[in-house]
Every structure is written in structure tokens, then in C-alpha cells.
Amino acid sequence: MPGRGPPRSLPLLVVALLACHMVGATDLSDATLFARKPVSEQLPLHHPRLTQTCGPDPASPEQVHLSLAGPGAIAFNWVTARQGRASSMFWSLGRRVARAARTLGKYHCKGVSSVQYGFASGDYTGRVDGRAPACYSVDDYDSGVLHEVIVGRGAEGPLPANTTVYYRVSGAREGVWGEESSFVTPPPLGVDSLPYRLGVVGDLGQTEDSLSTLEHLVATDPQSVVLVGDLSYADGDHRRWDAWARMVSPLTSRWLWMFTEGNHERERARGVPDWLAYTTRFHLPHASAGSASPLYYSYDVAGAHVVMLGSYTDHDAHSEQAAWLAADLAAVDRARTPWVVVTMHAPFYSSNLAHLGEGEPMRAGMERLLNQHGVDVVFAGHVHAYERSLRVVDGQLDDCGPVYINIGDGGNREGPDTRWLDRPRWSAWREPSFGHGALDLLNATHAVWTWRRNADAIRAQGPQHAADSVTLVRTDCSLGDAGLAAAR
Ligand SMILES: *[C@@H]1O[C@H](CO)[C@@H](O)[C@H](O)[C@H]1NC(C)=O
Ligand SMILES: *[C@@H]1O[C@H](CO)[C@@H](O)[C@H](O)[C@H]1NC(C)=O
Ligand SMILES: [Fe+2]
């Protein structure tokens, strides 16, 4: 319980309480000594969680992923198998053209993309059709048919807020539909929609540890999820993209999952553009955020403005991304979305020896903007360990700065990063164990962050059961000059 207020001598102390309540039998007085698991292999491709599970019909849709596509709009992405001989001619032609162009890799392919939806189970009152689906080919791999439909942006009008939507997506053949699933649309924007729980995961991969992270995340029951990069660790084996999307689809078909890119999404391959699988398989809502690149965008949900930055695109102070970020942060209405959350893949602040300094150029280009606009929390991944900072500005403790949290401990095959620098003053808590976190936005001024370790039993909710937990209190100071002006 956050029962103790900030000391009077430090009226601007914004990290109000450090409630590091331990669970489990191990004495964790120095958490960095926590005994951790060895590296896990990727699950075999025939693992039941990585194979088609949507039904015996090979025309059934699979790999369903939901994301927010702008106010009142939801993007549905899914995959179906390529069908039929006539169409395979069509595809092989597309494939040859794509290869010849060498810069394309992706092409339109045959298939109908439709979502049927309604507000009671089995009662589909709406149907939205998408544009021609995409396919891509890399070496010997031909993707399935990659479908995308956005519901809530066309003639059907925006989806109602905070409403359970029942839906099914179309299969590979006319008349074949997937099983029904459902999700709850985001609540209306504004502080009246708090509390709101945002799940946060990073560097997930596809190992037994990844499955454990997902199992713990299900118990956390977030309203939406942010994955801060390094999704599948496919690394050029595109079957692993299908496998990963199958692994997460029981969750990505129920909650909105928003992605930011990591280095493993880049997948440089001969004749194939960067980010091919990542940007073709998933909707990244940059256009609705005024961003020219799918590699950075922002969105509003409940009482939060969430900014997804790109670590692997231009990010110096004079970059297009920095200009976009300045405009994006300046436009935040803090009365409506008092919380501003930023994510990127490579952390600005990390005291782990892994990837040390990789986030420095971007920090040099952009940290000032985060401080100016009173960003509350910054999530990053890349480093396969958990670390939480105190409020910090330019390397110095500063009650007006953001809190930086590295959550790259989703459990991929590269294993945890266990070696640290001497602890800097800003580092409040660090530990190379796999897990995930949740940000509970309670009201306009208070939020609780909790980090849950996979090694701990899945147990009752509440920060007292988390490995690390902290209450974040927004003050005039932590709003920043620009943020404060916007809130008045
Ligand atoms: C959302 O709907 C649920 C159930 O219908 C209700 O209990 C809850 O208060 C609503 N939340 C908001 C923010 O409107
Ligand atoms: C916000 O939540 C905190 C923690 O529950 C509480 O102490 C505070 O009074 C709340 N503020 C408002 C304005 O309700
Ligand atoms: Fe990474």
C-alpha cells in the first residue's frame, strides 16, 4: 500500500513510494543476485502453440491481430493460406515481378478480406471489406495471404467506445469464416475513463519463456498491450513470423496490441526492403498520427497519449522524426490525456553492459523534447533485463524528469543480459529475470507501475504481489513547462 507520502523536505518528490515487495522463497535483498534460468531454445515449429489451431479446414483464417487504427477505428490483421491452381499462376507472376523489381518484395494477391461484427454473440450486424490483400516472397518463402480490414473508419462510422464487439474474419474461400472472438473497444478519451491498465512487454520471441510471459500477462488482464520491439526473432526465417503470430493470437485477437519496432524487425535480406514482414503483417497507425513513417506514430487511449518512437530510423535533433515528435507532443491535450507515455526499442537509460550506449545518439537528439513536454514514463526494450530509473534528466536525478523503464525481458532465445555497470544513482531497481509489466493509470495524477517476474507464481492482483512496484505521481513539475501550459 502506498501509505507513506513524500517527505515534506522534498515536496516535488514524484516517485512517491518504492514498494519492492518480494514474493517466493528466495531472499531477494539484492535482486541482481536472483537465480535465473538458462537460455531457452526457440520452440520447435511443430509445437502446438506455433501451428494452425483455428480449425481443420485449411481455408480457415489464422494469426488474428487487433490494433487501434485511430479514434473509434480498429485494424484487423490476419493470414490465410494461398488457395487454388489458377491463383498460384497469379502469385508466381506477382512473385516474379516482385523479384525483378528487387525493391518490392511484396505484391497484391488474391483473396477477399472481410470482417463481420456485431454487439451480441453470433449476431453480426456489420460487415467491412478490405482492399486487396498483400503477399510477399523472400527466397524460398512465400507468405500466406496477409489481410487487413479497418472497422470504424468508413461508412459504418466509428465503433462505440467501451463496448464488447463480437467478430469473425474471412477465410481463404468464399463462405469460410474463422471462429468468433470478441474484444472490448477502448473507453472514451478522457480522465473519466480511468483507471486504465496498459500491459507492457518487450523482446518476446518464441520460447518456453515467451509462453510463460504470455501466461503471466493473461493473469494481469490488461486493457491493451504495448510491445516495445523485437517481436518474433524470425531473423529472416519467415516461417517464424507465422509461428510467432500463431503463438500470440489467442491474446492479440482479444486485446489491442500496439507495436514499436526493434532491431529484429529489420531483417536485412538480399533484394528485400527493411521491415518487410513487420510492416506488411501488421497495421501501424502512423497516418492517423500525422507521421510519414510506420516506424514512429502515436495514439490516444483512455487518459493516455502513447508515443511509439523508432530507434532504427533517423533520430537526431534535426530529423524528420524529431520534428514530428515535437509537433505531436505540443498537440497533446493534457486535460484529456494527462498521461504521456513514450516507448522506443533501444533505451536512453540502461546500466546493463548489453547494448551499452546504443541509445545515446537518439537520447542526444530527443531527450530534451521529452523533458520539455513533461513525458511521464518512457518504456524501452532491447536489453534483456528489467530496470527502472528514478526521475532523471540528462543523467542527473531530477524530480521533473520522466521515469525510464526497460522491459526487454519478455523471454526470447538470446536469454537474459546479466552483466551490469556499477549502479548509477538514477537506477532504482534492476534484475535480469524474464517478466512483463503493467501501468495502471488510476486518475489524472496517480499511476501504479508493477513488474511481474515469470519465476514468481501467478497469483492475486495488486502491487503487493509484484516483484517491483512504484506509484508515479504527476506534479506541476513533472508536467514540464510545455505540458503545464497545456494542462492549464
Ligand atoms: C465500461 O463498461 C463497463 C461495463 O459495461 C462499465 O462497468 C465501466 O464503468 C465502463 N467504463 C467506462 C470508462 O465507461
Ligand atoms: C488519485 O488516486 C490516488 C491514489 O489512489 C488518490 O490518493 C488521489 O486522491 C486521487 N486523486 C483524485 C483527484 O481523485
Ligand atoms: Fe533488440
Side-chain angles (χ1 to χ4, degrees):
M1 248 321 280
R4 193 162 48 89
R8 280 187 190 285
S9 55
L10 286 172
L12 296 178
L13 186 72
V14 280
V15 177
L17 186 85
L18 216 74
C20 303
H21 190 99
M22 307 306 169
V23 287
T26 325
D27 175 9
L28 299 174
S29 49
D30 182 347
T32 61
L33 298 178
F34 183 69
R36 62 200 66 87
K37 297 185 58 188
V39 174
S40 301
E41 299 291 321
Q42 301 223 94
L43 295 169
L45 282 169
H46 59 76
H47 188 280
R49 285 294 300 273
L50 305 191
T51 52
Q52 233 299 24
T53 52
C54 304
D57 189 333
S60 296
E62 56 162 339
Q63 305 178 38
V64 180
H65 172 245
L66 308 178
S67 56
L68 197 62
I74 302 294
F76 296 73
N77 287 94
W78 72 98
V79 179
T80 57
R82 304 188 186 204
Q83 300 279 309
R85 279 191 70 225
S87 20
S88 62
M89 249 169 68
F90 178 88
W91 279 312
S92 66
L93 182 65
R95 193 172 157 182
R96 246 176 291 147
V97 171
R99 290 247 165 90
R102 289 193 73 83
T103 50
L104 276 171
K106 109 185 183 188
Y107 42 96
H108 286 302
C109 55
K110 244 184 170 166
V112 173
S113 308
S114 305
V115 172
Q116 285 186 325
Y117 66 97
F119 305 106
S121 177
D123 182 12
Y124 306 120
T125 51
R127 171 176 173 151
V128 176
D129 297 332
R131 285 182 298 201
C135 284
Y136 72 83
S137 297
V138 178
D139 299 329
D140 292 338
Y141 175 86
D142 295 317
S143 75
V145 180
L146 309 175
H147 301 269
E148 179 169 306
V149 167
I150 296 178
V151 176
R153 195 187 273 171
E156 71 279 7
L159 285 167
N162 192 29
T163 302
T164 302
V165 174
Y166 299 83
Y167 73 93
R168 58 183 193 173
V169 301
S170 58
R173 287 195 322 272
E174 197 61 43
V176 176
W177 292 90
E179 282 167 16
E180 181 180 87
S181 184
S182 69
F183 66 98
V184 181
T185 58
L189 279 189
V191 290
D192 292 344
S193 289
L194 302 180
Y196 186 84
R197 177 171 298 162
L198 189 67
V200 191
V201 183
D203 303 66
L204 188 56
Q206 40 191 301
T207 69
E208 288 293 348
D209 293 316
S210 322
L211 292 180
S212 174
T213 300
L214 294 182
E215 195 186 350
H216 283 72
L217 180 64
V218 167
T220 292
D221 196 23
Q223 285 163 279
S224 63
V225 177
V226 162
L227 205 173
V228 297
D230 285 0
L231 283 54
S232 71
Y233 288 73
D235 298 339
D237 178 354
H238 289 262
R239 297 170 305 168
R240 284 283 173 190
W241 275 109
D242 295 306
W244 184 81
R246 288 176 191 132
M247 179 189 83
V248 294
S249 75
L251 286 74
T252 54
S253 60
R254 272 173 50 196
W255 303 320
L256 310 181
W257 279 58
M258 307 304 284
F259 298 147
T260 190
E261 80 278 9
N263 50 305
H264 286 273
E265 277 65 71
R266 195 164 199 173
E267 297 189 293
R268 288 225 150 122
R270 197 164 32 87
V272 176
D274 289 352
W275 319 110
L276 176 66
Y278 177 63
T279 57
T280 311
R281 289 170 182 268
F282 306 113
H283 180 76
L284 301 158
H286 62 99
S288 57
S291 156
S293 167
L295 300 181
Y296 49 88
Y297 62 91
S298 65
Y299 62 96
D300 291 328
V301 67
H305 180 69
V306 184
V307 184
M308 314 292 263
L309 294 180
S311 294
Y312 303 96
T313 185
D314 286 354
H315 49 236
D316 65 38
H318 307 290
S319 61
E320 215 174 298
Q321 183 175 200
W324 171 82
L325 177 64
D328 181 81
L329 290 176
V332 176
D333 176 357
R334 300 297 282 247
R336 222 167 167 210
T337 54
W339 294 94
V340 178
V341 175
V342 169
T343 81
M344 79 275 296
H345 187 62
F348 287 5
Y349 289 93
S350 167
S351 63
N352 194 290
L353 289 182
H355 305 295
L356 196 60
E358 284 181 23
E360 263 315 281
M362 183 166 172
R363 185 177 80 80
M366 294 192 169
E367 183 185 10
R368 195 179 45 89
L369 287 171
L370 307 189
N371 301 329
Q372 247 169 25
H373 292 280
V375 167
D376 299 291
V377 196
V378 181
F379 293 109
H382 202 34
V383 175
H384 303 156
Y386 172 71
E387 184 164 24
R388 172 171 59 78
S389 81
L390 300 171
R391 290 190 183 269
V392 60
V393 168
D394 199 21
Q396 304 301 314
L397 293 186
D398 187 327
D399 293 339
C400 302
V403 169
Y404 290 82
I405 293 170
N406 296 346
I407 188 81
D409 60 335
N412 63 69
R413 68 174 149 77
E414 292 174 353
D417 292 323
T418 56
R419 295 167 60 227
W420 303 93
L421 291 173
D422 287 344
R423 188 192 292 270
R425 287 185 61 214
W426 51 256
S427 180
W429 179 269
R430 56 186 195 177
E431 183 181 315
S433 302
F434 294 137
H436 78 282
L439 183 65
D440 279 294
L441 304 173
L442 301 180
N443 57 31
T445 54
H446 287 62
V448 174
W449 163 256
T450 47
W451 175 60
R452 284 165 198 278
R453 211 192 263 127
N454 291 355
D456 296 335
I458 295 172
R459 57 175 73 203
Q461 286 301 316
Q464 70 274 25
H465 297 296
D468 179 32
S469 171
V470 65
T471 300
L472 304 176
V473 183
R474 296 177 64 251
T475 64
D476 282 357
C477 154
S478 69
L479 275 173
D481 295 342
L484 192 56
R488 276 185 181 139

